[in-house]
């Protein structure tokens, strides 16, 4: 068996509720490496080219990569692979966080889901074993409540949960998969694919030690990086700001998408930029598995209009940008609320914000009217309408369903 792998891949037939295990030799892993490589291998074998992404013929693969679980910065990612409900083509989306390493430590390099369950289920993976469990009672809950319910049922707060959300169960085509509520397989609509299979979540907990060819070298490299990454100005900036400094930097360079890419500078960039973010929102810095950079933002916002649950984390640059400058919105609290709603419902904040900014442009060009938008005024900069539309999309209500 090659170093860094378990050699085992779960095959979960949701239609028949059966689980088997594929075991592979070193040649397989040298051919496909991991992550998207493994995912596309199964996809090309199993899914007919003309199949509908929401059909039971499609598969969903959650696959760890070559380095997933290694004690190194930025080596925690895993891929979601399948025929994308958003594009109709083969696709993949990666996420960081903790789920990928946990899946490996629980005994498996990947999980391949085929078919469709009659009623909502979730997969429980631990210590080399896997079983499907009933998720009917939690299927419609928001993502935080699902994570809490699964951990309570299984008896450990250490369980890592990757899940679709209400948007995915409603087949919003840019629904995502979230793990630990703040890390996302965002692009391509794989949360919608997961929801179409009635697969509400995958929960993992493991204690296996992964074998490495040179564990001392990995440990020494990780320790050296943790001591020195701030010596590089980019490393220091990522620790201090995460990605939240980019609105001001890109606006100054004339490279910031504003008014749905109609303009490239935003006069109010500082109002949603890194210094303002740190001043009014930042409570703590959070990171991914084995990464010392801690570029994720832990926030607190006790706003009378846009109070935000800190469990859902704070927006990163892409979200600040799509709900902020894309829509000419300079209200950071509203941007945070839009981010929280995306995370509650399980939607890709980039696709959601960009779609809303397109609607703003269409409204301002007279292509959409108040009658079309359920009375929402989508004039540039209208933060309240932007937030309302996020919720309507997640619930597929009225113009949000359009």
């Amino acid at each position: 068996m090659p170093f860094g792998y378990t050699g085992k891949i779960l095959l979960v037939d949701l239609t028949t509720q059966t689980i088997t295990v594929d075991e592979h030799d070193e040649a397989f892993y040298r051919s496909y490496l991991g992550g998207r490589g493994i995912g596309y291998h199964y996809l090309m074998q199993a899914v007919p080219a003309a199949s509908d992404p929401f059909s039971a013929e499609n598969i969903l693969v959650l696959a760890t990569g070559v380095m997933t679980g290694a004690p190194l910065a930025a080596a925690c990612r895993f891929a979601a692979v399948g025929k994308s409900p958003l594009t109709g083509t083969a696709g993949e989306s990666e996420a960081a966080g903790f789920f990928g390493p946990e899946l490996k430590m629980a005994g498996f390099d990947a999980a391949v889901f085929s078919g469709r369950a009659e009623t909502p289920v979730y997969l429980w993976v631990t210590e080399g074993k896997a079983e499907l469990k009933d998720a009917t009672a939690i299927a419609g809950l928001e993502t935080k409540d699902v994570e809490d319910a699964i951990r309570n049922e299984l008896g450990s707060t250490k369980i890592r949960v990757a899940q679709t959300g209400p948007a995915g169960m409603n087949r919003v085509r840019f629904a995502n998969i979230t793990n630990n509520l703040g890390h996302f397989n965002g692009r391509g609509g794989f949360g919608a694919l997961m929801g179409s299979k009635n697969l509400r979540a995958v929960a993992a907990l493991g204690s296996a030690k992964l074998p490495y060819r040179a564990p001392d070298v990995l440990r020494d490299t990780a320790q050296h990086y943790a001591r020195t990454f701030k010596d590089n100005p980019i490393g220091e900036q990522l620790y201090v700001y995460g990605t939240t400094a980019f609105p001001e930097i890109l606006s100054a360079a004339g490279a910031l998408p504003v008014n749905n890419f109609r303009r490239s500078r935003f006069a109010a960039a500082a109002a949603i930029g890194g210094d303002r973010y740190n001043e009014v929102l930042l409570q703590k810095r959070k990171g991914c598995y084995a990464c010392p950079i801690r570029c994720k933002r832990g926030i607190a916002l006790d706003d009378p209009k846009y109070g935000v649950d800190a469990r859902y984390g704070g927006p990163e640059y892409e979200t600040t940008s799509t709900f902020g400058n894309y829509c000419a919105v300079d209200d950071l609290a509203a941007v945070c609320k839009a981010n929280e709603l995306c995370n509650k419902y399980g939607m890709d904040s980039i696709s959601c914000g960009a779609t809303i900014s397109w609607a703003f442009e269409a409204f301002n060009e007279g292509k959409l009217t108040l009658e079309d938008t359920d009375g929402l005024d989508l004039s540039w900069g209208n933060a309240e309408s932007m937030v309302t539309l996020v919720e309507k999309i997640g619930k597929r209500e009225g113009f949000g369903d359009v």
Side-chain angles (χ1 to χ4, degrees):
M1 190 60 243
F3 292 102
Y5 295 103
T6 71
K8 296 180 179 181
I9 294 174
L10 283 169
L11 304 181
V12 183
D13 188 324
L14 294 166
T15 301
T16 62
Q17 303 279 287
T18 57
I19 301 173
T20 56
V21 177
D22 259 1
E23 296 195 37
H24 293 287
D25 59 14
E26 186 168 350
F28 174 87
Y29 287 96
R30 287 187 176 274
S31 296
Y32 301 107
L33 297 181
R36 71 186 74 176
I38 286 177
Y40 283 127
H41 166 74
Y42 281 98
L43 181 69
M44 296 305 180
Q45 283 191 328
V47 180
S51 61
D52 187 292
F54 284 142
S55 72
E57 290 181 318
N58 197 6
I59 65 171
L60 172 66
V61 185
L62 302 181
T64 62
V66 178
M67 298 299 292
T68 307
L72 293 173
C76 59
R77 304 180 77 82
F78 72 99
V81 179
K83 194 170 188 182
S84 163
L86 187 63
T87 67
T89 62
E92 64 93 20
S93 180
E94 294 182 4
F98 296 85
F99 176 79
E102 202 70 39
L103 181 62
K104 257 193 186 178
M105 290 185 289
F108 301 97
D109 299 313
V112 181
F113 298 94
S114 61
R116 176 185 294 123
E118 287 190 11
T119 57
V121 296
Y122 73 90
L123 181 70
W124 168 224
V125 186
T126 184
E127 309 299 3
K129 299 178 182 179
E131 64 174 310
L132 288 166
K133 300 181 77 68
D134 180 39
T136 305
I138 62 174
L141 300 181
E142 295 172 358
T143 53
K144 182 184 75 171
D145 296 329
V146 167
E147 182 174 87
D148 289 346
I150 289 174
R151 287 175 168 177
N152 288 337
E153 179 181 352
L154 299 176
S156 175
T157 59
K158 295 181 180 180
I159 292 168
R160 306 300 185 179
V161 178
Q163 60 170 303
T164 187
M169 300 303 286
N170 289 335
R171 301 193 187 186
V172 173
R173 288 184 184 266
F174 47 73
N176 63 23
I177 299 172
T178 176
N179 73 89
N180 288 82
L181 306 181
H183 309 276
F184 309 96
N185 303 91
R187 320 315 302 280
F190 291 103
L193 172 53
M194 196 171 179
S196 76
K197 293 188 169 300
N198 259 333
L199 177 63
R200 189 61 180 80
V202 182
L205 182 64
S207 60
K209 302 296 183 183
L210 299 176
Y212 295 107
R213 175 65 179 83
D216 292 343
V217 173
L218 285 177
R219 184 187 63 251
D220 292 345
T221 301
Q223 291 175 350
H224 174 75
Y225 185 79
R227 291 192 303 267
T228 62
F229 80 90
K230 290 184 186 178
D231 295 345
N232 184 301
I234 295 176
E236 172 70 14
Q237 288 290 304
L238 281 172
Y239 176 77
V240 173
Y241 292 109
T243 59
T244 63
F246 281 114
E248 291 170 272
I249 294 171
L250 294 177
S251 182
L256 187 70
V258 181
N259 289 36
N260 194 31
F261 288 84
R262 302 281 294 210
R263 297 168 50 228
S264 59
R265 294 180 188 269
F266 190 37
I272 59 172
D275 288 324
R276 177 66 175 163
Y277 193 114
N278 284 0
E279 176 187 350
V280 301
L281 295 175
L282 185 64
Q283 293 294 302
K284 60 181 178 180
R285 293 173 172 85
K286 302 166 69 176
C288 299
Y289 178 85
C291 186
I293 299 174
R294 304 183 71 78
C295 64
K296 301 290 286 186
R297 307 291 91 176
I299 70 167
L301 180 61
D302 186 16
D303 184 270
K305 188 173 185 179
Y306 298 122
V308 170
D309 187 334
R311 281 277 297 279
Y312 290 107
E316 299 183 40
Y317 159 68
E318 295 88 350
T319 306
T320 301
S321 188
T322 55
F323 290 123
N325 39 272
Y326 273 45
C327 299
V329 168
D330 61 3
D331 185 338
L332 188 56
V335 170
C336 287
K337 188 63 179 180
N339 175 75
E340 180 208 52
L341 289 170
C342 279
N343 295 355
K344 279 184 177 181
Y345 290 112
M347 294 189 293
D348 175 28
S349 60
I350 302 175
S351 298
C352 186
T355 301
I356 289 174
S357 77
W358 179 89
F360 268 60
E361 181 179 353
F363 185 88
N364 282 272
E365 292 290 321
K367 309 298 185 184
L368 291 174
T369 67
L370 289 171
E371 184 177 353
D372 297 317
T373 65
D374 303 333
L376 289 177
D377 177 5
L378 302 185
S379 298
W380 292 119
N382 192 325
E384 187 171 351
S385 291
M386 181 267 290
V387 171
T388 299
L389 194 47
V390 175
E391 188 147 21
K392 288 172 76 71
I393 290 171
K395 294 179 178 179
R396 292 192 66 165
E397 291 181 349
F399 184 57
D401 189 38
V402 176

